[in-house]
Amino acid sequence: MFGLRSNVDPNVSASEASPSVRRLPKFFLMLPGYRRPDLVADIIAGITVGLVALPMAMAFAISSGVPPQAGLYCAIIAGFITSFLGGSRTQVSGPTGAFVVVVAGIVSKFGINGLFVCTLMAGGILVVLGLTGLGAAVKYIPRPVIVGFTNGIAILIASTQIKDFLGLQINHLPADFLGRILALYHGLPTVMWVTAIFASVCLVTLIGFRTYLPRVPAAVVVMIVGTAIAYTFKLPLETIQTRFGGIPQGLPSFKMPSIPEGGISVLLPSALTIVMLGAIESLLSAVVADRMTRDKHDPNVELTAQGIANVISPLFGGLPSTGAIARTATNIRAGARSPVAGMIHALVLLMILLVAAPLADQIPLSMLAAILLMVAYNMGEWREIGQILKLTRADISVWAVTFGLTVFADLSVAVEVGMILAALLYISRVTRTTTVSRITEGDLEEGREHVLQFHELPIGVAIYRVHGPFLFGSTDKVEDVVEDLPLLPPVVILRLRNMTAIDATGLQALEELYRHVQESGRELLFCGMREQPLNLMQQSGFIEHVGLENVCTSVHAALQRSREILDRPA
């Protein structure tokens, strides 16, 4: 899809290593150059993210309807395995919010033993996906589907936390969203005001840290200070001790789960849902880590490691695992340099389990609910909704259907229907780009401005060109430009004359490319857009974002603009 015509030296980038080397886990690839300063940085980051993971792991388990230690076991086992064997340099794995609703549904239907069998099956499938090279398949999920899916999960997580946040006296919270909201409404008269006020203070504190001190691990501060205050003043709050009898101190025991009545076939749909969620969130989290560190993960190695982790975690009573975006970002901001940080994070949790488990018993559940409400808000990608609403009605429909089905129906159904709608939209866009028309003298004259052979390429300019539709499934090819950035001159032109169509995922890829080029100190120009891409770029605000002066009608105009940039004083 991308072609290059430039005056730069076409050296082979580091990422173009042999396939046998690329398929090794990142831990082994980074060992030869690993030094003492790297270890110090990884220890600091590992301790930080380990403390952050402690309340989240327990909160996710409690919200899923299982004991808090199940979340800790998962974070310890999966966190270590995926860092040791994974394809990402800084990704941290463990239980996540995306699994809360899925796990709760499986436990209510098949019990915790059924959950462990489902997780085992999902792990095996993930290993197969990774070993067969299907890890890159996540790129075929379009942006509106991912955003609608994430928005819906955030709403579902938030709805499960209101009961503990307000201290409502509800014996059973329904699994379906509407039933849950109705039960919460009827339970409002039973609100415990001490619980509600305490949780509100915790939530306001979390928001304050996020706004004014974003680098401080707010969840850790709130957990330590909040638990100390509740324990010191004997506040009448429900804790891990009062509801679950505390957290067992010591190592988890091995236990092979038994296949429930009905056999494996009954559990297969639930296992496939875990596979889908585990793959999507792990690879999306790895992409986020790549953007923050300028690294490049191996999706197939990462999926294989996630699969192995999900095979082993349930054997020791752990939840399903996937890449955790929030903890991964915390890990990177804390200075992590290698997978060692993720392994240390797991060891920190293990030491807490062995030594300080009795202290964790006093953690108030309302405080964990406040932390999860913040997690739900952070993972919701609410800013993306405004961008989606600027797109075509078809893109908006795909997002709305995925969001609605996620909240009111089923997660797997939501993604399946969203993907079907997106595929139909893909076919429609591609077929509309096929035209049959007669060439006139005017067409020939107009085309001269777009033909590269009629123009001289100045020193200091590189031109890339896109051929064909730039839709979800093909946008990863833009990474060719990013990999070449260190070798590129001051001005890069992206020629879009032969790009016949673009969608929301394609626009997002071009925005990311623009950001990478700008951060490298270079200028990126776009030229020659056809009708459909140009209309969508105008409608979405893309042109306003990159600057009208950087969007040119033809390669002739782009070269003129390039000369202006090159002639500017340094």
Side-chain angles (χ1 to χ4, degrees):
M1 175 169 285
F2 276 87
L4 171 65
R5 179 187 173 197
S6 73
N7 55 353
V8 297
D9 183 17
N11 293 329
V12 177
S13 65
S15 62
E16 293 174 344
S18 65
S20 59
V21 172
R22 286 203 307 267
R23 295 306 298 271
L24 285 174
K26 279 283 185 178
F27 173 75
F28 297 101
L29 291 177
M30 301 193 70
L31 270 183
Y34 198 71
R35 299 291 182 266
R36 183 187 297 270
D38 301 319
L39 178 60
V40 172
D42 284 336
I43 290 174
I44 295 172
I47 293 173
T48 302
V49 76
L51 293 175
V52 170
L54 176 63
M56 290 186 177
M58 293 187 292
F60 291 141
I62 293 169
S63 300
S64 302
V66 297
Q69 61 266 25
L72 291 176
Y73 297 160
C74 171
I76 293 168
I77 295 168
F80 189 92
I81 291 174
T82 50
S83 292
F84 182 61
L85 299 176
S88 175
R89 183 157 61 97
T90 52
Q91 168 134 284
V92 175
S93 297
T96 66
F99 275 128
V100 166
V101 181
V102 174
V103 170
I106 295 173
V107 171
S108 65
K109 186 182 291 187
F110 303 109
I112 194 166
N113 180 76
L115 170 66
F116 293 153
V117 176
C118 284
T119 307
L120 266 170
M121 294 167 59
I125 296 171
L126 284 170
V127 170
V128 173
L129 291 178
L131 293 178
T132 54
L134 292 177
V138 72
K139 69 182 181 181
Y140 295 107
I141 302 176
R143 182 185 174 199
V145 172
I146 292 175
V147 174
F149 183 62
T150 309
N151 295 154
I153 289 177
I155 294 291
L156 290 175
I157 293 174
S159 69
T160 62
Q161 299 311 302
I162 296 174
K163 173 180 176 290
D164 286 339
F165 188 89
L166 298 177
L168 303 181
Q169 305 302 301
I170 302 174
N171 293 328
H172 174 69
L173 208 58
D176 64 293
F177 179 75
L178 290 178
R180 188 183 307 128
I181 295 299
L182 190 62
L184 292 171
Y185 174 76
H186 288 306
L188 282 177
T190 66
V191 62
M192 303 291 291
W193 290 107
V194 173
T195 301
I197 292 171
F198 179 82
S200 298
V201 171
C202 291
L203 182 58
V204 169
T205 304
L206 290 168
I207 295 172
F209 272 103
R210 183 181 185 274
T211 305
Y212 301 107
L213 298 169
R215 292 189 173 275
V216 175
V220 177
V221 176
V222 168
M223 178 189 67
I224 295 174
V225 176
T227 303
I229 291 174
Y231 181 78
T232 302
F233 293 97
K234 307 296 181 184
L235 297 180
L237 303 173
E238 190 172 19
T239 65
I240 290 176
Q241 174 68 43
T242 59
R243 181 179 293 185
F244 299 99
I247 298 173
Q249 190 172 8
L251 296 172
S253 58
F254 175 89
K255 183 180 180 182
M256 179 65 71
S258 57
I259 299 175
E261 294 182 12
I264 291 178
S265 59
V266 179
L267 302 176
L268 186 58
S270 299
L272 291 176
T273 301
I274 294 176
V275 170
M276 178 186 65
L277 276 177
I280 291 174
E281 192 165 9
S282 290
L283 298 183
L284 286 178
S285 176
V287 168
V288 171
D290 288 350
R291 291 173 185 166
M292 296 179 70
T293 61
R294 300 292 185 270
D295 194 42
K296 188 173 183 180
H297 75 284
D298 187 318
N300 296 309
V301 173
E302 185 64 27
L303 275 197
T304 303
Q306 294 290 348
I308 295 172
N310 278 290
V311 168
I312 298 177
S313 176
L315 298 178
F316 292 90
L319 293 177
S321 168
T322 184
I325 296 176
R327 273 159 279 168
T328 297
T330 301
N331 190 39
I332 295 169
R333 293 192 190 105
R337 298 186 183 180
S338 79
V340 173
M343 296 157 66
I344 291 173
H345 131 271
L347 295 177
V348 167
L349 289 173
L350 178 61
M351 291 304 298
I352 292 173
L353 184 68
L354 294 177
V355 177
L359 297 178
D361 294 347
Q362 305 304 318
I363 295 176
L365 298 181
S366 57
M367 183 180 67
L368 293 180
I371 292 174
L372 273 194
L373 283 176
M374 200 67 195
V375 169
Y377 175 80
N378 290 334
M379 73 175 290
E381 298 190 37
W382 309 109
R383 296 177 186 172
E384 295 277 355
I385 297 178
Q387 297 298 319
I388 295 291
L389 295 179
K390 293 179 182 178
L391 302 175
T392 63
R393 283 181 292 180
D395 284 312
I396 296 172
S397 299
V398 171
W399 165 78
V401 169
T402 306
F403 173 74
L405 289 176
T406 300
V407 174
F408 298 106
D410 180 78
L411 300 182
S412 55
V413 173
V415 173
E416 289 165 6
V417 173
M419 285 298 296
I420 292 172
L421 290 176
L424 294 175
L425 182 59
Y426 183 100
I427 295 170
S428 172
R429 281 180 173 145
V430 171
T431 54
R432 281 205 301 267
T433 64
T434 303
T435 59
V436 178
S437 60
R438 181 178 178 178
I439 301 297
T440 65
E441 289 291 335
D443 294 329
L444 292 175
E445 188 61 34
E446 180 188 350
R448 291 181 184 276
E449 289 194 330
H450 299 283
V451 178
L452 290 170
Q453 286 76 8
F454 292 157
H455 300 88
E456 182 181 349
L457 187 63
I459 295 176
V461 177
I463 299 181
Y464 285 79
R465 50 193 174 190
V466 180
H467 291 273
F470 195 57
L471 309 173
F472 73 91
S474 61
T475 56
D476 63 316
K477 294 178 175 62
V478 80
E479 293 177 6
D480 294 346
V481 187
V482 178
E483 290 178 2
D484 289 342
L485 265 181
L487 306 174
L488 294 182
V491 180
V492 180
I493 297 175
L494 195 60
R495 182 175 177 267
L496 307 178
R497 179 67 177 171
N498 296 321
M499 184 180 75
T500 53
I502 194 170
D503 64 357
T505 311
L507 276 177
Q508 186 181 42
L510 293 186
E511 288 178 2
E512 285 295 320
L513 175 62
Y514 178 77
R515 182 176 64 83
H516 280 296
V517 175
Q518 286 284 308
E519 290 177 354
S520 73
R522 296 168 175 81
E523 294 288 345
L524 179 62
L525 307 180
F526 303 88
C527 71
M529 287 77 66
R530 294 181 179 272
E531 182 180 3
Q532 189 272 342
L534 181 60
N535 289 340
L536 191 58
M537 286 177 172
Q538 291 172 334
Q539 183 178 335
S540 65
F542 173 85
I543 293 179
E544 183 180 348
H545 174 67
V546 302
L548 183 61
E549 69 278 7
N550 294 325
V551 179
C552 308
T553 56
S554 65
V555 71
H556 175 72
L559 289 173
Q560 285 185 325
R561 168 68 177 152
S562 300
R563 293 185 182 95
E564 294 174 5
I565 294 172
L566 294 172
D567 289 342
R568 287 189 312 209

